[in-house]
Amino acid sequence: MAKGEGKVIAQNKKAGFDFFIEETIEAGIVLQGTEIKSARNGKVQLKESFVRIRNGEAWISNMHISPYDQGNQFNHDPTRSRKLLLHKKQIANLLAHSKVQGSAIIPLKMYLKDGFAKILLGVGKGKKNYDKREDLKKKDAKRDIARAIKEHNR
């Protein structure tokens, strides 16, 4: 299976709008028992999450995994920091990219691959407002073209 493939649990659609994604890296994630059960049910949000590197380890913060319905006392804190599983070279590469002004490490999507939870990380550079407006114009133009072609084929 290629990188980024599998049963998609959650996707950060706003990341493509806010950042120019330059590189992607697949990482494993350390989850507790009730967290993986809740994730399999699709109760994950990546909207405001980000990745930080501390003491040579990659951690994802602000990722919200809702408490499992049948978890009772074994449930977890929904927004706790979770460790990402990466090789040392990959962490060094991410650290070098993150030191550049205006860049960030953003989780793009979470998915299940061969029974394991994986996260696709993107190294991105922040877009300015005029870049975002330009993207919206291109998207509108594509939509108008598709609409015109559909009308022409009727």
Side-chain angles (χ1 to χ4, degrees), residues 71-117:
N72 59 43
Q73 70 195 35
F74 300 106
N75 268 328
H76 54 278
D77 177 27
T79 57
R80 74 178 182 91
S81 293
R82 294 164 179 91
K83 186 175 177 180
L84 295 177
L85 304 173
L86 292 162
H87 295 284
K88 274 187 181 180
K89 288 181 181 178
Q90 290 175 321
I91 292 174
N93 186 18
L94 285 176
L95 187 60
H97 280 295
S98 68
K99 297 237 180 190
V100 176
Q101 182 68 31
S103 68
I105 307 165
I106 315 113
L108 301 175
K109 67 175 155 178
M110 184 174 179
Y111 52 94
L112 292 173
K113 182 176 176 182
D114 300 328
F116 295 103

Side-chain angles (χ1 to χ4, degrees), residues 9-10 31-46 62-72 74-80 82 110:
I9 296 170
L31 297 174
Q32 294 176 350
T34 57
E35 287 177 321
I36 189 65
K37 290 179 180 186
S38 188
R40 286 180 194 276
N41 289 339
K43 297 185 176 181
V44 178
Q45 254 188 17
L46 297 173
N62 271 8
M63 182 175 77
H64 188 277
I65 299 179
S66 297
Y68 187 56
D69 294 335
Q70 287 84 32
N72 59 43
F74 300 106
N75 268 328
H76 54 278
D77 177 27
T79 57
R80 74 178 182 91
R82 294 164 179 91
M110 184 174 179

